[in-house]
Amino acid sequence: PSSSSAHGGSKRRMKVAVVGCSHGELDKIYETIQHIEKTDSISIDLLICCGDFQAVRNPDDLACMACPIKYRAMNTFYKYFSGAAKAPVLTLYVAGNHEASNYHMELWHGGWVAPNIYYMGQAGVFNFGGIRIAGISGIYKRNHFRMGHYEKMPLDRDTQRSAYHVRETDVFRLLQVASPIDIFVSHDWPRGIYNHGNTRELLRRKRFLTDEVSSGSLGNPAHEKLLKVLRPRYWFSAHLHVKFPAIIRHENKTITRFLALGKCLPNHDFLQVIDVQPQNNSQAGEGGATAKVLEYDREWLAIMKSTNHLLSTERTYLQMPTPLGNGGRRFDFRPSQEELKQIDSLFSSGRDNLDAYVVPQNFAPTAPVWDEKTDPKSGTPPRFVPNPQTSRLLRKLEVRDVIGEYLYGGELPSGGGRPSAGAGGTTAPAAEEGKQPARVTTEANPEEIDIDDDDDDGDDGDEKNAVNVPLSAPPPAASKPANPEEIEIGDLDDDDDDEEE
């Protein structure tokens, strides 16, 4: 999207496509979207992917993906990174538990992984055309939840996994968000969400979840808290490779419409299109931007700045600020008006600069592209490369890059790093904003959902409400679910939200 289109804008409903686990199948996902657009004579404004995105650029990235070697495949993201293909719709995503975590570590606070494809970071809030979207990456593991982000590169077998475990620091920062959230995106589900939908149907399709549902342990307890506090209009997830809708009615009478989706395979419900009514989320003053451009969120930037000192790289249990026994130190980081004005000043926001918060188109390749003649399984986990997108954002906020300095091992070079050689290749040119990368040659985790979990109980291809996408042929359009107990597309729309909000 062009920043020049930020002026003016429309309040029409946005058509948002949501995908569950992508697993690197970008070609098939975009083919599906284009087929729906052509068949239904509509235009999709935004694509949101709920993790396991697999932004794998080359064999070295693939070597960092936590899954059995036999399941490691380049798939199609590398073509979008190289510029051989371009995403036809703005794509936002959070990370899951099958990712090239080394790439995401460059973009801790979010950034372009390829032109028109944006990673939302470890945790983040962004705006798109009047829609406020928050997200958190990773999955829950109790042992690591209260630790710092201690992982170093090159990643080994253990840190490939701990790198994507949700940390309390990131949850704490999101809990400081006070203004309404329209859409929240996560990979794993909030704990207890199954109590708000058709649990019987869920267990018919996924019998192995029975014990966790019975014990009340299925899902992420940190996400459960975020759901209760933030109360977004929508919450989208993936991870369990099954479609599951639910409606959560909060104590303040607001409603969250939850939808989990499957992965990109035939006979899997992996994609759904919903209509979202933009709210009055303008942050650029009177007449601010409401058009279809991606923007940083003013409140989130203030939270990033005020809580930067809480980021830790220690492999020890951390205590987040509380009102008890804190020695008078700050524990409430909901931004004050003074802090918001400071962000406006840092970003030169005002009535004469309505594009102040527009995310710049500054994709910067920091790694070589896969040479398709090279064995995709020949890579080795690379060392950390600073990304100029991260450097630019944190310099603007006037905060230290705590994570980047730790990963780099000292003071970061100005302007970002230099791409390392791919497997069997040579060093690529230094990263430069807006440039495409040079083309150069280049075991199972029992606690998580298997990447090859495509033999779902009850999924025999006769689902009446499936989005059946043959991966070797043009995909059919998404059909409305025939199951009356499921949330239909119309039920996910905002027909009754204008008065509530």
Side-chain angles (χ1 to χ4, degrees):
S2 169
S3 64
S4 63
S5 65
H7 300 287
S10 170
K11 291 274 290 188
R12 74 170 179 83
R13 293 174 183 270
M14 296 282 186
K15 291 200 175 292
V16 178
V18 184
V19 166
C21 295
S22 305
H23 289 297
E25 296 286 2
L26 293 189
D27 281 356
K28 299 305 177 185
I29 290 169
Y30 291 135
E31 287 171 11
T32 303
I33 287 176
Q34 291 174 328
H35 183 84
I36 292 171
E37 289 181 319
K38 182 178 180 180
T39 302
D40 295 349
S41 299
I42 62 174
S43 178
I44 304 298
D45 298 303
L46 176 68
L47 170 63
I48 295 175
C49 299
C50 301
D52 283 358
F53 189 80
Q54 295 180 12
V56 176
R57 301 165 292 182
N58 53 47
D60 288 348
D61 284 356
L62 193 62
C64 294
M65 195 166 78
C67 71
I69 293 177
K70 66 179 180 179
Y71 294 135
R72 290 178 179 171
M74 290 298 298
N75 293 322
T76 58
F77 169 79
Y78 73 94
K79 296 190 293 185
Y80 297 85
F81 173 76
S82 71
K86 183 174 180 180
V89 59
L90 175 63
T91 303
L92 302 184
Y93 77 94
V94 296
N97 58 302
H98 297 299
E99 307 283 6
S101 295
N102 61 302
Y103 192 12
H104 291 154
M105 290 166 82
E106 297 178 18
L107 298 168
W108 201 262
H109 306 280
W112 301 106
V113 295
N116 222 29
I117 303 176
Y118 198 89
Y119 169 53
M120 295 182 68
Q122 197 71 21
V125 184
F126 297 87
N127 290 275
F128 176 76
I131 300 173
R132 198 162 185 238
I133 306 166
I136 188 167
S137 291
I139 65 171
Y140 180 77
K141 183 174 176 62
R142 184 183 61 183
N143 292 359
H144 295 136
F145 181 62
R146 297 187 186 278
M147 287 187 176
H149 293 283
Y150 63 83
E151 294 79 12
K152 295 278 283 188
M153 296 172 62
L155 296 171
D156 59 28
R157 185 180 183 280
D158 290 334
T159 55
Q160 284 175 8
R161 289 161 173 78
S162 63
Y164 57 68
H165 290 151
V166 172
R167 300 308 211 270
E168 187 179 23
T169 309
D170 304 310
V171 175
F172 178 84
R173 298 175 102 186
L174 283 168
L175 289 171
Q176 308 310 307
V177 175
S179 300
I181 295 292
D182 295 306
I183 294 173
F184 198 100
V185 188
S186 69
H187 186 57
D188 58 351
W189 301 12
R191 185 177 62 184
I193 199 72
Y194 44 83
N195 293 322
H196 302 274
N198 189 338
T199 309
R200 179 179 298 179
E201 176 63 14
L202 172 65
L203 296 181
R204 183 189 73 81
R205 299 183 64 183
K206 298 287 183 178
R207 297 187 188 115
F208 67 92
L209 299 177
T210 300
D211 289 345
E212 289 181 272
V213 168
S214 298
S215 66
S217 61
L218 177 64
N220 187 326
H223 292 2
E224 179 184 25
K225 185 171 184 179
L226 286 168
L227 174 61
K228 290 180 178 178
V229 173
L230 299 181
R231 300 187 294 270
R233 294 159 66 200
Y234 301 93
W235 187 302
F236 301 129
S237 295
H239 191 45
L240 297 182
H241 298 165
V242 63
K243 181 177 181 180
F244 182 77
I247 293 180
I248 301 90
R249 303 182 188 279
H250 300 287
E251 292 180 359
N252 68 346
K253 309 301 182 184
T254 60
I255 290 174
T256 295
R257 294 169 170 87
F258 174 85
L259 179 65
L261 291 166
K263 62 179 177 177
C264 185
L265 280 177
N267 305 317
H268 279 242
D269 300 313
F270 74 87
L271 185 152
Q272 187 153 341
V273 178
I274 66 169
D275 289 335
V276 180
Q277 178 67 52
Q279 303 300 299
N280 187 23
N281 283 338
S282 173
Q283 55 188 5
E286 296 180 16
T290 57
K292 294 183 287 184
V293 293
L294 184 64
E295 294 182 289
Y296 294 121
D297 185 83
R298 177 181 181 234
E299 183 184 24
W300 179 249
L301 292 173
I303 293 168
M304 282 179 59
K305 184 172 177 62
S306 66
T307 61
N308 194 63
H309 67 288
L310 298 178
L311 293 177
S312 171
T313 57
E314 297 295 323
R315 192 170 184 170
T316 56
Y317 288 115
L318 308 173
Q319 177 65 53
M320 290 298 102
T322 67
L324 300 175
N326 67 356
R329 292 186 295 272
R330 183 176 181 180
F331 61 88
D332 185 345
F333 291 88
R334 289 173 293 182
S336 66
Q337 285 302 311
E338 289 73 18
E339 288 173 320
L340 293 173
K341 289 178 182 178
Q342 183 183 21
I343 296 299
D344 285 339
S345 176
L346 292 173
F347 279 73
S348 303
S349 176
R351 298 180 67 175
D352 296 330
N353 184 15
L354 302 184
D355 293 349
Y357 290 108
V358 172
V359 176
Q361 297 288 336
N362 60 348
F363 165 66
T366 56
V369 181
W370 178 42
D371 182 338
E372 296 181 22
K373 297 177 183 178
T374 303
D375 180 1
K377 297 179 182 179
S378 64
T380 56
R383 296 189 177 278
F384 174 71
V385 178
N387 195 298
Q389 295 182 71
T390 300
S391 301
R392 178 189 182 278
L393 174 60
L394 297 186
R395 281 199 307 268
K396 201 156 191 174
L397 282 174
E398 299 181 351
V399 297
R400 280 183 55 216
D401 186 353
V402 176
I403 303 297
E405 290 177 7
Y406 170 74
L407 292 170
Y408 191 71
E411 184 177 351
L412 292 165
S414 60
R418 177 179 296 274
S420 59
T426 59
T427 301
E432 184 177 349
E433 291 187 2
K435 298 294 184 180
Q436 292 297 328
R439 181 176 294 276
V440 299
T441 305
T442 71
E443 53 246 273
N445 188 343
E447 71 195 32
E448 293 152 12
I449 298 297
D450 195 329
I451 196 171
D452 196 38
D453 174 33
D454 57 6
D455 56 345
D456 305 334
D457 295 334
D459 290 352
D460 299 321
D462 60 349
E463 298 273 277
K464 294 182 179 179
N465 60 344
V467 180
N468 298 317
V469 181
L471 298 186
S472 60
S479 57
K480 288 188 177 182
N483 184 347
E485 296 183 352
E486 295 225 75
I487 296 178
E488 296 197 9
I489 291 177
D491 295 326
L492 279 165
D493 297 341
D494 292 332
D495 294 335
D496 60 347
D497 281 359
D498 293 340
E499 294 182 3
E500 287 183 14
E501 309 199 19

